């Protein structure tokens, strides 16, 4: 199996596991705790993302002979493929999460947003229709895909700097005696 596919899958599976843990901990099933769950999920998600990008790019680099370089472009390309696979597997895992594991997630998200609107002194009934559309499963999946690709590529831009490998220097030829 190609490292980019493997690490994209593992990254996505780790993200699903994080979502399940946050759900079982009550962060994604209670509108009052939802905001805290989002913060925890974001920070942990970034750490998991960086970890699997580093491991995946290193696995790709290990397939290149040591006497060859592994340029920034190659490191970025590997990370971009890991990100793309992660986003594609993420579609499946998000649908699985929203339909089988936590089908109340969209309603909890909607309620948390309505509570925020009410707390700001505005009328939440005016936003209810908009929130019903933006918190639907297709919108959550679509936004999740786009967000995953954008954040993944930004992380890859940074991680690739540290994982490139310069080709070994070849000493200049010795001068020929006349």
């Amino acid at each position: 199996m190609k490292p980019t596919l493997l690490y994209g899958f593992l990254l996505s599976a780790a993200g699903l596991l994080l979502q399940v843990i946050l759900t079982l901990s009550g962060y994604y099933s209670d509108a009052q705790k939802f905001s805290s769950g989002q913060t925890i999920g974001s920070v942990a998600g970034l750490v998991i993302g960086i970890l699997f990008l580093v491991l995946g790019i290193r696995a790709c680099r290990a397939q290149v002979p040591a006497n060859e370089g592994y340029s920034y472009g190659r490191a970025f390309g590997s990370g971009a493929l890991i990100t793309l696979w992660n986003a594609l597997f993420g579609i499946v895992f998000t649908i699985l999460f929203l339909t089988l594991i936590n089908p109340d997630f969209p309603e909890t998200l909607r309620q948390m947003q309505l509570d925020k609107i009410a707390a700001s002194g505005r009328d939440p009934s005016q936003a209810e229709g908009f929130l019903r559309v933006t918190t639907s499963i297709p919108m959550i999946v679509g936004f999740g895909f786009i967000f995953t690709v954008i954040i993944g590529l930004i992380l890859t831009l940074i991680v690739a700097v540290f994982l490139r490998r310069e080709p070994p220097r070849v000493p200049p030829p010795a001068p020929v005696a006349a």
Side-chain angles (χ1 to χ4, degrees), residues 60-79:
C60 291
R61 186 180 68 186
Q63 292 183 331
V64 175
N67 62 345
E68 288 183 34
Y70 195 74
S71 68
Y72 175 80
R74 283 180 86 174
F76 178 79
S78 296

Side-chain angles (χ1 to χ4, degrees), residues 9-165:
F9 174 80
L10 292 174
L11 175 52
S12 196
L16 175 63
L17 180 62
L18 175 62
Q19 299 303 315
V20 169
I21 290 169
L22 289 170
T23 297
L24 293 175
S25 301
Y27 286 105
Y28 284 167
S29 53
D30 179 2
Q32 271 56 29
K33 295 167 84 177
F34 199 92
S35 235
S36 298
Q38 285 182 312
T39 302
I40 293 167
S42 295
V43 171
L46 281 174
V47 171
I48 290 168
I50 292 168
L51 173 68
F52 280 100
L53 278 172
V54 167
L55 293 173
I57 294 171
R58 287 181 66 192
C60 291
R61 186 180 68 186
Q63 292 183 331
V64 175
N67 62 345
E68 288 183 34
Y70 195 74
S71 68
Y72 175 80
R74 283 180 86 174
F76 178 79
S78 296
L81 282 174
I82 292 167
T83 295
L84 180 61
W85 283 117
N86 173 37
L88 291 172
F89 284 118
I91 290 171
V92 175
F93 287 160
T94 301
I95 292 170
L96 175 72
F97 176 76
L98 294 173
T99 57
L100 298 177
I101 298 170
N102 190 356
D104 295 330
F105 183 91
E107 183 56 39
T108 306
L109 174 61
R110 192 172 18 260
Q111 189 57 51
M112 185 266 307
Q113 293 293 337
L114 289 171
D115 291 349
K116 279 186 178 180
I117 291 169
S120 71
R122 295 179 287 161
D123 181 15
S125 64
Q126 293 177 341
E128 201 160 339
F130 175 76
L131 287 174
R132 191 150 307 282
V133 171
T134 58
T135 60
S136 66
I137 290 176
M139 292 296 273
I140 292 171
V141 170
F143 285 135
F145 178 83
I146 292 167
F147 183 75
T148 298
V149 169
I150 291 170
I151 296 301
L153 291 176
I154 291 170
L155 291 175
T156 299
L157 284 168
I158 298 165
V159 168
V161 169
F162 300 101
L163 296 176
R164 66 180 190 246
R165 178 178 65 208

